[in-house]
Amino acid sequence: MLRGERTGFFYGNYKVLYLVGTGTFARVYRAAHKTSGQLVACKVLRRRFADDKEQAERFCREGEVGVTLRHPNIVPIFEVGMEAGTYFMVMEFIEGRTLREFMKAREKVDPVEATRIVTDIAAGLTYAFDRGLCHRDLKMSNILVSSRGISKLVDFGLAAGDKNMSDD
């Protein structure tokens, strides 16, 4: 990793295959479980934030919240870990793109498809809300549209419980 190589290393039981995307706070890799071969997404907190207690706690909170959410329109998180000072979470790998990329590629979406996307998003948000969570960072890049046309919410890092919902 120190040499900038992005493959051939592990986070927990998952071997990194390649870099999928980068954000301000984390990188996302496609990875495979070392024995079962299950393909997953592995989100890794950038090293410069691992020493920042607030950022590390936020990252871990996202993972802890995600592990409790199981809905067809929310990307499930399977595992949250820390190894050698590096925080990571393992989640379902979604073949597809973000809603931002989807809209940019399509430019125009027919009403039936747009309704399905909005219905999927609303279903995921309702499920989370019914469990006392508010997403608080809903944006096009935090919605994934799978290659099968199913929209899924990701990144509950700013999610708040009931006691905090009135703070906004």
Side-chain angles (χ1 to χ4, degrees):
M1 268 179 73
L2 295 175
R3 292 189 309 264
E5 294 176 19
R6 303 279 188 239
T7 60
F9 55 94
F10 288 81
Y11 292 108
N13 290 317
Y14 297 88
K15 180 181 180 184
V16 168
L17 301 175
Y18 57 85
L19 180 67
V20 174
T22 61
T24 303
F25 298 101
R27 289 186 172 101
V28 179
Y29 300 93
R30 186 167 189 172
H33 190 274
K34 66 181 177 182
T35 55
S36 72
Q38 176 190 14
L39 295 175
V40 297
C42 190
K43 184 174 182 177
V44 180
L45 184 64
R46 289 179 182 263
R47 185 160 300 279
R48 68 178 177 257
F49 296 111
D51 294 330
D52 180 331
K53 184 178 178 183
E54 184 178 319
Q55 293 300 330
E57 286 175 359
R58 178 180 169 204
F59 186 83
C60 291
R61 183 174 60 248
E62 175 188 351
E64 291 164 3
V65 166
V67 165
T68 68
L69 299 174
R70 291 294 182 258
H71 186 273
N73 301 111
I74 297 176
V75 175
I77 295 175
F78 306 130
E79 182 181 333
V80 181
M82 196 267 287
E83 198 170 273
T86 302
Y87 295 89
F88 65 93
M89 66 180 80
V90 179
M91 61 190 78
E92 178 183 14
F93 185 85
I94 305 299
E95 288 286 351
R97 57 181 93 182
T98 69
L99 183 56
R100 176 184 310 283
E101 295 163 340
F102 179 86
M103 294 300 295
K104 187 175 181 180
R106 295 282 180 97
E107 293 180 5
K108 192 174 183 182
V109 180
D110 82 77
V112 172
E113 192 169 29
T115 301
R116 187 178 64 247
I117 290 169
V118 171
T119 300
D120 286 352
I121 294 166
L125 290 172
T126 299
Y127 173 85
F129 185 79
D130 288 347
R131 279 144 191 81
L133 295 170
C134 180
H135 191 286
R136 292 175 51 155
D137 194 24
L138 189 60
K139 56 189 177 185
M140 292 175 74
S141 59
N142 284 342
I143 299 164
L144 302 180
V145 181
S146 77
S147 57
R148 296 175 58 209
I150 300 168
S151 297
K152 296 183 176 234
L153 300 169
V154 70
D155 197 357
F156 276 80
L158 296 176
D162 281 334
K163 65 182 175 16
N164 297 325
M165 284 189 187
S166 62
D167 292 346
D168 290 339

